[in-house]
Amino acid sequence: MTDRIREGLAPAYLLLCLVLGGASAAGLWANMLLQLLAIPIILWSLVGSPDSSLSPPARRLILLAGLAVALVALQLVPLPPALWSLLPGRQAIVEGYQMLGMPLPWLPISLAPYDTVASALWLLPALAVLIGMLRLGFNRDWLAWSVVIVAALSLPLGLVQVTAGSLFYIYEISDFGLYTGLFANAGHLALLLLVALPLLVALYVGSARRGRGEKTIDRQTLILLTALLAIAAGLILSASLTALGLALPVAIACLCIWLRRKRRISRLWALPIGLLALLYIGVVSFTSFQNSSIWNEAIGGPDSRHPALGKSIAAALDFQPMGSGIGTFPDIYRRYEDADSVGRVYLNHAHNDYVELLLETGLPGLALIIAFLLWWGRRTHAIWLSNESGPLQRAATIASGTILVHSAVGYPLRTAALAAVFAACCALMARPREKNVSQRGPGSQPAKYGRTARHLSAN
């Protein structure tokens, strides 16, 4: 019974995150509930005995997560005036105390420590999914089905939203008139649909590989095809140009999962495919796909993200090397905003998570981002070149990579739903697949974690 609870806890909590965590600015009470539920999951994962020993990639991933938490804590440590007053961007604070005739107090690196604490709490759901999966274990099929079910059911909800009006939108702050499903942002729903595609393909490949009866496979094929059509229709209705631009490389990657069932992809093909994918992603990320309208109209319009991105980069450079503190972007951005252009539309995020994190966390945050990208690249390389890696693990590389690319033109990881999905994909990539006893010879011992790719594969 306990084992059943352990392997079902992460998929159940992920499903709850997908249902309740579809907004960043809105959904305060729902996100608070997710954060409160995350605390016992994290404590059980840390205190309880793990279901198996951690692999080297899993240990490195947990180390990176621990360093991220430590970085947030470091921003809240009070520093003496002789130190914090030397940091860039603090001169106005020093002048304010001098005008009031008050001595400089001890202050933390963060310019808004309460906002930093509030933003740090948003990390709890993703940490609960990550640590829970790595320490307690999980059922891989249940995990994938959690994402697929929510993505497929978004189609009827979205159709009702578009046709019946604002009554059926979940959040008060939403993309009204667009297909948002359980999210506040239509682009975030479109990203979830993209993430569900490789998981769908992996579920089908895994079901066929296990060699179940023909009736079972036919029934699952019908269910998967129905979900695929619903997701494809939802992707078109979402009207997200970024998601539509990323649909082609995601579809090609899904085809690679199918082709990778029985044979290894040649290294000679891997290099040109990877280069073409990077080129295409670059075009998607830095051209009109990142805007809400066509290039010629969006680049100069009031809703364009190009001027905002330039101002965000300028602000990030001004606050190096330690940044302004997690959660301070809205207040910092107002310093660089043109007063004549301020209207009803305001910016709560930079629409580029990498730039926003550079502003808020400085060079230490940049170092963590680079370290994680190196980890992700090594795991992706090992998974796709391993004959023992499973389809769900390969799907996790595609899904997490799609979220990483989308983070260059949005802020998907600021929502509990997509942050939890991303954490689940990373845990899938880090946790090796256990071979069935029938696949090992009689009397043989389970394979130990090794450094080569064939020992670090997972399904």
Side-chain angles (χ1 to χ4, degrees):
M1 182 65 180
T2 304
D3 292 340
R4 205 68 171 170
I5 295 176
R6 290 168 67 107
E7 71 177 6
L9 181 61
Y13 183 70
L14 175 62
L15 180 61
L16 192 63
C17 289
L18 288 169
V19 173
L20 299 179
S24 57
L28 177 63
W29 295 105
N31 282 288
M32 184 183 71
L33 176 62
L34 292 175
Q35 293 163 13
L36 291 175
L37 292 176
I39 295 175
I41 296 176
I42 294 174
L43 292 178
W44 184 17
S45 303
L46 295 176
V47 176
S49 59
D51 71 325
S52 61
S53 58
L54 293 176
S55 66
R59 289 198 293 268
R60 297 187 190 103
L61 184 58
I62 290 180
L63 175 62
L64 289 173
L67 290 175
V69 174
L71 177 58
V72 176
L74 178 63
Q75 292 188 336
L76 298 174
V77 176
L79 300 177
L83 288 181
W84 69 257
S85 61
L86 296 177
L87 296 175
R90 274 71 177 179
Q91 187 59 35
I93 300 176
V94 173
E95 293 174 356
Y97 279 104
Q98 290 175 347
M99 290 176 62
L100 294 174
M102 299 174 59
L104 297 180
W106 286 49
L107 293 177
I109 294 174
S110 174
L111 296 177
Y114 292 106
D115 292 337
T116 299
V117 173
S119 298
L121 293 177
W122 287 80
L123 297 175
L124 289 176
L127 285 176
V129 171
L130 177 66
I131 301 176
M133 289 176 61
L134 293 179
R135 295 274 299 177
L136 301 178
F138 57 96
N139 185 298
R140 290 172 169 82
D141 285 353
W142 294 355
L143 195 79
W145 276 112
S146 298
V147 179
V148 169
I149 289 174
V150 173
L153 292 181
S154 297
L155 176 62
L157 177 58
L159 291 175
V160 172
Q161 290 172 336
V162 173
T163 56
S166 60
L167 180 63
F168 292 92
Y169 284 88
I170 307 299
Y171 302 101
E172 294 182 3
I173 304 175
S174 296
D175 287 340
F176 294 107
L178 296 179
Y179 174 84
T180 64
L182 294 172
F183 288 82
N185 188 307
H188 292 164
L189 173 62
L191 178 58
L192 177 68
L193 299 177
L194 278 179
V195 167
L197 287 177
L199 296 177
L200 265 174
V201 175
L203 284 170
Y204 177 78
V205 172
S207 176
R209 175 182 288 181
R210 285 190 288 268
R212 296 176 179 175
E214 292 184 3
K215 292 184 178 180
T216 303
I217 294 178
D218 290 341
R219 184 167 58 251
Q220 287 195 355
T221 302
L222 179 61
I223 295 174
L224 291 172
L225 286 177
T226 303
L228 180 62
L229 291 175
I231 290 172
L235 191 61
I236 296 174
L237 291 174
S238 68
S240 172
L241 292 179
T242 302
L244 292 174
L246 291 174
L248 179 59
V250 169
I252 294 174
C254 291
L255 179 61
C256 290
I257 295 179
W258 175 261
L259 297 176
R260 189 62 178 75
R261 290 171 298 159
K262 298 181 180 179
R263 61 181 182 273
R264 176 180 297 185
I265 296 178
S266 171
R267 294 173 184 263
L268 296 177
W269 282 103
L271 180 60
I273 289 175
L275 292 176
L276 286 175
L278 289 175
L279 177 62
Y280 186 88
I281 288 170
V283 172
V284 170
S285 300
F286 297 105
T287 61
S288 60
F289 286 116
Q290 64 177 307
N291 295 291
S292 57
S293 56
I294 304 301
W295 172 263
N296 291 331
E297 297 177 2
I299 194 169
D303 296 334
S304 173
R305 300 173 192 172
H306 287 274
L309 182 60
K311 295 171 185 174
S312 301
I313 293 175
L317 296 177
D318 288 344
F319 280 87
Q320 297 309 310
M322 299 304 296
S324 59
I326 295 289
T328 60
F329 173 80
D331 294 331
I332 298 300
Y333 182 77
R334 293 190 188 102
R335 302 184 186 181
Y336 295 82
E337 205 169 14
D338 185 5
D340 295 333
S341 64
V342 175
R344 294 187 305 106
V345 179
Y346 64 92
L347 208 66
N348 59 342
H349 292 291
H351 289 275
N352 186 313
D353 259 343
Y354 303 106
V355 173
E356 187 167 340
L357 286 173
L358 178 62
L359 166 62
E360 295 180 338
T361 62
L363 296 183
L366 178 62
L368 274 179
I369 292 174
I370 294 174
F372 172 78
L373 292 178
L374 290 175
W375 177 91
W376 184 87
R378 290 187 61 185
R379 288 303 301 139
T380 300
H381 179 267
I383 288 168
W384 280 93
L385 293 183
S386 169
N387 282 331
E388 296 180 4
S389 59
L392 272 179
Q393 198 179 16
R394 299 188 191 104
T397 65
I398 300 171
S400 58
T402 304
I403 295 176
L404 287 174
V405 173
H406 198 281
S407 295
V409 295
Y411 49 96
L413 295 178
R414 308 281 174 161
T415 64
L418 292 173
V421 171
F422 184 75
C425 292
C426 292
L428 273 170
M429 294 173 62
R431 189 179 174 95
R433 179 179 60 171
E434 297 177 358
K435 292 184 178 180
N436 297 326
V437 176
S438 59
Q439 292 177 327
R440 299 192 294 263
S444 62
Q445 299 295 323
K448 296 182 178 179
Y449 300 127
R451 295 189 177 184
T452 56
R454 62 177 178 275
H455 295 302
L456 299 177
S457 56
N459 181 12

